[in-house]
Amino acid sequence: MKTLIVYYSRTQQTEKIAKAIQKDLNCDIEEITAEKKYDGIIGYIKGGFDAGANRVCEINKVTKNPENYDLVIIGTPVWAATMATPIYSYLKEYGNQIKNLASFCTCGSSGYEKTLNKIAKTTGKTPIATMYLTKDEMENPEEKINNFENKINNR
């Protein structure tokens, strides 16, 4: 199964998980970057405001077409109880090209359920696997990552 991981990471926490999954599944990966920067405390506030308002932003050109993959895994941090604005923008543009979906998110402690549901709703796909990692779980994510990958591999 040809797999692509698409992720956005403001603080490299989501990136850490995306790269661990990529290594285990030996698949392609695409980092989404935004024209608008969400750095620092001001970026954190702007990001939460944009996400909560369902805004889209300009994302930099992607290099991998999701239509060419059997499975696309979406990874995002939770911003204001939803996905990060750059991932929402990606899904608004490319979500209809995703054949099969899996998704994961990283968060402080809450908002993950709404985030994972919104990813599914935005793409119109029922995910074959989902995973969330809270700040505390990020210290030892291996078990949750293994369970997530097993769901993907055993579908």
Side-chain angles (χ1 to χ4, degrees):
M1 171 170 46
K2 191 171 179 186
T3 302
L4 171 66
I5 299 172
V6 176
Y7 75 94
Y8 174 82
S9 191
R10 191 180 81 85
T11 63
Q12 287 65 56
Q13 294 301 303
T14 305
E15 178 179 53
K16 174 183 164 184
I17 302 305
K19 288 186 173 181
I21 295 167
Q22 180 207 19
K23 183 180 175 197
D24 293 344
L25 298 181
N26 191 28
C27 62
D28 291 342
I29 193 166
E30 175 107 50
E31 179 181 16
I32 301 304
T33 56
E35 290 288 323
K36 181 179 189 177
K37 299 299 178 202
Y38 290 101
D39 298 337
I41 189 69
I42 300 297
Y44 174 81
I45 293 166
K46 283 182 185 175
F49 182 77
D50 287 352
N54 291 318
R55 289 195 172 141
V56 294
C57 66
E58 289 293 320
I59 58 172
N60 294 312
K61 187 172 174 25
V62 297
T63 61
K64 294 170 177 53
N65 183 345
E67 206 167 40
N68 296 334
Y69 294 85
D70 302 309
L71 173 66
V72 176
I73 302 170
I74 300 295
T76 183
V78 174
W79 288 4
T82 191
M83 69 187 98
T85 302
I87 286 294
Y88 183 63
S89 302
Y90 175 86
L91 292 178
K92 292 296 276 183
E93 188 169 343
Y94 299 102
N96 63 340
Q97 297 175 24
I98 295 173
K99 296 172 188 155
N100 293 291
L101 172 73
S103 58
F104 71 92
C105 61
T106 58
C107 61
S109 62
S110 63
Y112 51 84
E113 190 172 284
K114 283 178 65 178
T115 300
L116 295 170
N117 287 337
K118 187 169 179 182
I119 291 169
K121 183 178 179 186
T122 303
T123 61
K125 303 281 185 248
T126 300
I128 63 169
T130 61
M131 173 180 66
Y132 67 87
L133 291 155
T134 64
K135 183 179 178 183
D136 291 341
E137 293 169 324
M138 288 293 294
E139 293 177 27
N140 293 300
E142 293 79 14
E143 184 177 347
K144 284 193 100 169
I145 291 172
N146 288 338
N147 290 338
F148 178 69
E149 292 168 349
N150 285 337
K151 288 178 190 172
I152 290 169
N153 290 327
N154 295 326
R155 75 165 192 97

